[in-house]
Amino acid sequence: MSIKALFNKYKMLSLLIATLIIWIFFHLLTEGHYLQPRNIANLFRQMAITGVLASGMMFVIINGEIDLSVGSLLGLLGGVGAILNVWLQLSLAPTIAIVIVLGILIGAFNGYWIAYRRIPSFIVTLSGYLAFRGIVLGLTKGQTIAPIDDSFSYLGNGYIPSIGGYIIATILIIAYIFSIYAERSNRIKYKLPVAPFRNDALKAIGTTIIVFGLIAIFNLQSGMPFPVLILLILLVGLTFIANKTILGRRIYSIGGNKEATKMSGINVDRFKLYVFMIMGAMAAIAGLLTTARLGSGDPSAGNMGELDAIASCFIGGASMRGGVGTISGALMGALIMASLDNGMSMMGIDTFWQMIVKGSVLLIAVWIDVLSSNKKEA
């Protein structure tokens, strides 16, 4: 079996192996500092923001669209969160609510022009890329807004105590095993092909080892970073939407074959609107986490964030043609991107080289997708 075929069949395993190779490589080059618990915690805290953006972007790409505005939108919504908290003295709860609602509304604005006015998503979101950055510079007058209050800062810098981390891990593993059991039961019920039991058992065992291993590493530092908890909640929620709801099935079907979906009587425009509303909500959450992590509203926050989000999706298995991709794949892609960023920063590699490497990784990921599609068409 060729490397391409292996990657397609065991995509998540391939991504895990790639991540492990990157970690070992940087661990050796940083004289054993890369895999220290402190850096692992920082790595996952950094990855969480990219992961939130990539989760929303995956829905957009599955739907056959693209969003180039998410980095600027992250900066705008993070800046609005800082303005509400610092200048207007709003507490955390209303700040979060207002920012997320604003994100959904801006996502709906983008979706309206794309779905109902038939303007290509590339153009609409490129306009947003420019406009949203200009708006945040105008609102803040180019100044950093600080300091945010301690409860806001906890979103980006807090930790879950050791016992809390193990409780969360246990809940996740039980839910994962139950989902495997439910999937097997449904396939048996409808007389569909079922994978050998040992395959599912190995996946459950491997996932359990990885999850509890990470919790143990986090607890060697200060516990699970709070942004990781938010990311896990989004992983469960968005995966459920993608796999178990009508919305998720429609998103996949529109990306896979838009015309056939429209001919079946489905309101394609409405579901495209929903996709960009989800993307707006994810940009809002990422903006809040960024402001919380920095401890202030930075007008330049989120710069090039769209590149990391898009690259994470393609690395995680999304297809340029739409209809293919998973939230877990997007998060694995985000972990790889964050691992590269973190490792190169620790080595003191110049920023321009970091951009070259990340651009090359994106090119390779898309090339693999093209090769795979060409093989299927042949």
Side-chain angles (χ1 to χ4, degrees), residues 62-122:
I62 289 171
N63 204 233
E65 304 292 348
I66 198 71
D67 192 337
L68 301 178
S69 68
V70 294
S72 297
L73 185 54
L74 179 158
L76 171 59
L77 295 172
V80 169
I83 288 172
L84 293 173
N85 185 252
V86 177
W87 289 356
L88 302 183
Q89 297 292 302
L90 287 186
S91 61
L92 181 60
T95 296
I96 291 175
I98 292 171
V99 170
I100 292 178
V101 169
L102 182 59
I104 293 171
L105 291 175
I106 293 175
F109 175 82
N110 283 342
Y112 169 78
W113 288 100
I114 294 163
Y116 293 98
R117 298 293 106 191
R118 302 293 187 268
I119 300 178
S121 58
F122 179 88

Side-chain angles (χ1 to χ4, degrees), residues 202-272:
L202 287 173
K203 284 197 298 184
I205 293 170
T207 302
T208 300
I209 292 172
I210 291 171
V211 170
F212 277 95
L214 282 174
I215 295 298
I217 292 172
F218 290 150
N219 288 342
L220 290 175
Q221 180 60 27
S222 300
M224 177 194 292
F226 194 79
V228 176
L229 173 60
I230 295 175
L231 188 63
L232 290 175
I233 293 171
L234 292 176
L235 169 62
V236 173
L238 294 177
T239 299
F240 178 81
I241 290 173
N243 298 336
K244 302 296 182 181
T245 67
I246 293 175
L247 172 60
R249 290 192 289 271
R250 297 292 183 263
I251 290 171
Y252 276 99
S253 65
I254 292 169
N257 193 324
K258 178 181 176 181
E259 293 306 317
T261 303
K262 184 179 292 187
M263 291 176 65
S264 67
I266 295 170
N267 189 331
V268 171
D269 295 339
R270 186 175 65 188
F271 284 99
K272 282 190 177 293

